[in-house]
Coordinates of all heavy atoms in Angstrom, one line a residue:
I827 N 34.8 4.6 -70.1 CA 33.6 3.8 -70.3 C 32.8 3.5 -69.1 O 33.4 3.1 -68.0 CB 34.1 2.5 -71.0 CG1 35.0 2.7 -72.2 CG2 33.0 1.6 -71.3 CD1 34.4 2.8 -73.5
S828 N 31.5 3.7 -69.2 CA 30.6 3.2 -68.2 C 29.7 2.1 -68.8 O 29.7 1.9 -70.0 CB 29.7 4.3 -67.7 OG 28.8 4.8 -68.6
C829 N 28.9 1.5 -67.9 CA 28.0 0.5 -68.4 C 27.1 1.2 -69.5 O 26.8 0.6 -70.5 CB 27.0 -0.1 -67.3 SG 27.9 -0.7 -65.8
C832 N 27.7 1.3 -73.5 CA 27.3 0.2 -74.4 C 25.8 0.0 -74.3 O 25.2 -0.6 -75.2 CB 28.0 -1.0 -74.2 SG 29.8 -0.9 -74.5
H833 N 25.2 0.4 -73.0 CA 23.8 0.2 -72.8 C 23.1 1.6 -72.7 O 22.9 2.1 -71.6 CB 23.7 -0.7 -71.6 CG 24.3 -2.0 -71.6 ND1 23.7 -3.0 -72.3 CD2 25.4 -2.5 -71.1 CE1 24.5 -4.1 -72.3 NE2 25.5 -3.9 -71.5
S846 N 30.5 -3.5 -79.7 CA 30.7 -2.3 -79.0 C 32.2 -2.0 -78.7 O 33.1 -2.9 -78.7 CB 30.0 -2.3 -77.7 OG 28.8 -3.1 -77.7
F847 N 32.4 -0.7 -78.5 CA 33.7 -0.4 -78.1 C 33.9 -0.4 -76.7 O 33.2 0.1 -75.8 CB 34.0 1.1 -78.6 CG 34.2 1.2 -80.1 CD1 33.2 1.7 -80.8 CD2 35.3 0.8 -80.7 CE1 33.2 1.9 -82.2 CE2 35.4 0.9 -82.1 CZ 34.4 1.4 -82.9
G848 N 35.1 -0.9 -76.1 CA 35.4 -1.0 -74.7 C 36.6 0.1 -74.6 O 36.8 0.9 -75.5
R856 N 30.6 -9.8 -79.3 CA 29.2 -10.0 -79.4 C 28.4 -8.6 -79.4 O 28.9 -7.6 -79.0 CB 28.7 -10.9 -78.3 CG 29.0 -12.3 -78.5 CD 28.4 -13.2 -77.5 NE 28.7 -14.6 -77.6 CZ 28.7 -15.5 -76.7 NH1 28.3 -15.2 -75.5 NH2 29.0 -16.8 -76.9
N857 N 27.2 -8.6 -80.0 CA 26.4 -7.6 -80.1 C 25.8 -7.2 -78.6 O 25.4 -8.2 -77.9 CB 25.2 -7.9 -81.0 CG 24.3 -6.7 -81.3 OD1 23.2 -6.6 -80.9 ND2 24.9 -5.7 -81.9
A858 N 25.9 -5.9 -78.2 CA 25.5 -5.6 -76.8 C 23.9 -5.9 -76.7 O 23.2 -5.6 -77.6 CB 25.7 -4.1 -76.6
M859 N 23.5 -6.5 -75.6 CA 22.1 -6.9 -75.4 C 21.4 -5.7 -74.8 O 22.0 -5.0 -74.0 CB 22.1 -8.1 -74.5 CG 22.8 -9.3 -75.1 SD 22.7 -10.8 -74.0 CE 21.2 -11.5 -74.5
L861 N 18.9 -4.0 -72.2 CA 18.6 -4.2 -70.8 C 17.2 -3.8 -70.5 O 16.9 -2.6 -70.4 CB 19.6 -3.5 -69.8 CG 21.1 -3.8 -70.1 CD1 22.0 -2.9 -69.0 CD2 21.4 -5.2 -70.1
L864 N 14.7 -7.2 -67.2 CA 15.6 -8.2 -66.7 C 15.2 -8.9 -65.4 O 15.7 -10.0 -65.2 CB 17.0 -7.7 -66.5 CG 17.6 -7.1 -67.8 CD1 18.9 -6.4 -67.5 CD2 17.8 -8.2 -68.8
F870 N 21.5 -15.0 -68.3 CA 22.0 -13.8 -68.8 C 23.1 -14.1 -69.8 O 23.8 -15.2 -69.8 CB 22.4 -12.7 -67.8 CG 21.2 -12.4 -67.0 CD1 21.0 -13.1 -65.7 CD2 20.3 -11.5 -67.3 CE1 19.9 -12.8 -64.9 CE2 19.2 -11.2 -66.5 CZ 19.0 -11.9 -65.3
L871 N 23.2 -13.2 -70.8 CA 24.2 -13.3 -71.9 C 23.6 -14.1 -73.1 O 22.6 -14.8 -72.9 CB 25.6 -13.8 -71.5 CG 26.3 -13.0 -70.5 CD1 27.7 -13.6 -70.3 CD2 26.3 -11.5 -70.8
W872 N 24.2 -14.0 -74.2 CA 23.7 -14.7 -75.4 C 23.8 -16.2 -75.2 O 22.9 -17.0 -75.9 CB 24.4 -14.3 -76.7 CG 24.1 -12.9 -77.2 CD1 24.8 -11.8 -77.2 CD2 22.9 -12.7 -78.0 NE1 24.1 -10.8 -77.8 CE2 22.9 -11.3 -78.3 CE3 21.8 -13.4 -78.4 CZ2 21.9 -10.6 -79.0 CZ3 20.8 -12.8 -79.1 CH2 20.8 -11.4 -79.4
L879 N 21.8 -11.3 -62.1 CA 22.2 -10.0 -62.5 C 23.4 -9.5 -61.7 O 24.2 -8.8 -62.1 CB 21.1 -9.1 -62.3 CG 20.0 -8.9 -63.5 CD1 18.9 -7.9 -63.1 CD2 20.9 -8.4 -64.7
Q882 N 26.3 -10.8 -63.2 CA 26.6 -10.2 -64.5 C 27.1 -8.7 -64.4 O 27.1 -8.0 -65.3 CB 25.4 -10.4 -65.4 CG 25.5 -9.7 -66.8 CD 26.8 -9.8 -67.5 OE1 27.5 -10.8 -67.3 NE2 27.2 -8.9 -68.3
P886 N 31.6 -7.4 -67.3 CA 32.0 -6.2 -68.0 C 33.1 -5.4 -67.2 O 33.8 -4.9 -68.0 CB 30.6 -5.5 -68.1 CG 29.7 -6.0 -67.2 CD 30.1 -7.5 -67.0
E892 N 36.1 -4.6 -72.4 CA 35.0 -3.8 -71.9 C 35.6 -2.8 -71.0 O 36.1 -1.8 -71.5 CB 33.8 -4.6 -71.4 CG 33.3 -5.5 -72.5 CD 31.9 -6.2 -72.2 OE1 31.5 -6.1 -71.1 OE2 31.5 -6.9 -73.1
M893 N 35.5 -2.9 -69.7 CA 35.9 -1.8 -68.7 C 37.3 -2.1 -68.2 O 38.0 -1.1 -67.6 CB 34.9 -1.6 -67.8 CG 33.6 -1.2 -68.4 SD 32.1 -1.4 -67.4 CE 32.0 0.1 -66.4
I931 N 24.2 -2.2 -58.5 CA 23.9 -2.1 -60.0 C 22.9 -3.0 -60.4 O 22.0 -2.6 -61.2 CB 25.3 -2.4 -60.8 CG1 26.4 -1.2 -60.5 CG2 25.0 -2.4 -62.3 CD1 27.6 -1.3 -61.4
E935 N 19.2 -2.2 -62.4 CA 18.8 -2.9 -63.7 C 17.4 -3.5 -63.5 O 16.7 -3.6 -64.5 CB 19.9 -4.1 -64.0 CG 21.2 -3.4 -64.5 CD 22.2 -4.5 -64.6 OE1 22.6 -5.3 -63.7 OE2 22.7 -4.6 -65.8
Ligands
LIG1945 C1 32.0 -2.5 -74.1 C2 30.6 -2.5 -74.1 C3 29.9 -3.1 -72.8 C4 30.0 -2.5 -71.5 C5 31.0 -1.4 -71.2 C6 29.0 -3.2 -70.7 N1 28.3 -4.1 -71.4 FE1 26.9 -5.3 -70.8 N2 26.8 -6.3 -72.5 C7 27.7 -6.0 -73.6 C8 27.6 -7.1 -74.5 C9 28.5 -7.2 -75.9 C10 26.8 -8.1 -74.0 C11 26.4 -9.6 -74.6 C12 27.7 -10.3 -74.2 C13 27.7 -11.8 -74.4 O1 26.6 -12.4 -74.6 O2 28.7 -12.4 -74.2 C14 26.3 -7.6 -72.7 C15 25.3 -8.2 -72.0 C16 25.0 -7.7 -70.7 C17 23.9 -8.1 -69.9 C18 23.0 -9.4 -70.3 C19 21.6 -9.0 -70.6 C20 20.7 -10.2 -70.9 O3 19.5 -10.1 -71.3 O4 21.1 -11.4 -70.8 C21 23.8 -7.5 -68.8 C22 22.7 -7.6 -67.6 C23 24.7 -6.3 -68.9 N3 25.5 -6.5 -70.1 C24 25.0 -5.4 -67.9 C25 26.2 -4.5 -67.9 C26 26.6 -3.8 -66.8 C27 26.0 -3.8 -65.4 C28 27.7 -3.1 -67.2 C29 28.6 -2.2 -66.3 C30 29.2 -2.8 -65.1 C31 27.9 -3.5 -68.6 N4 26.9 -4.3 -69.0 C32 28.9 -2.9 -69.3 C33 28.4 -4.9 -73.7 C34 28.8 -4.1 -72.8

Side-chain angles (χ1 to χ4, degrees):
I827 304 275
S828 71
C829 308
C832 301
H833 298 287
S846 325
F847 289 106
R856 284 186 182 157
N857 188 244
M859 301 177 87
L861 307 183
L864 296 176
F870 301 93
L871 302 187
W872 282 106
L879 272 179
Q882 176 45 27
E892 295 188 1
M893 296 159 88
I931 294 185
E935 291 177 298

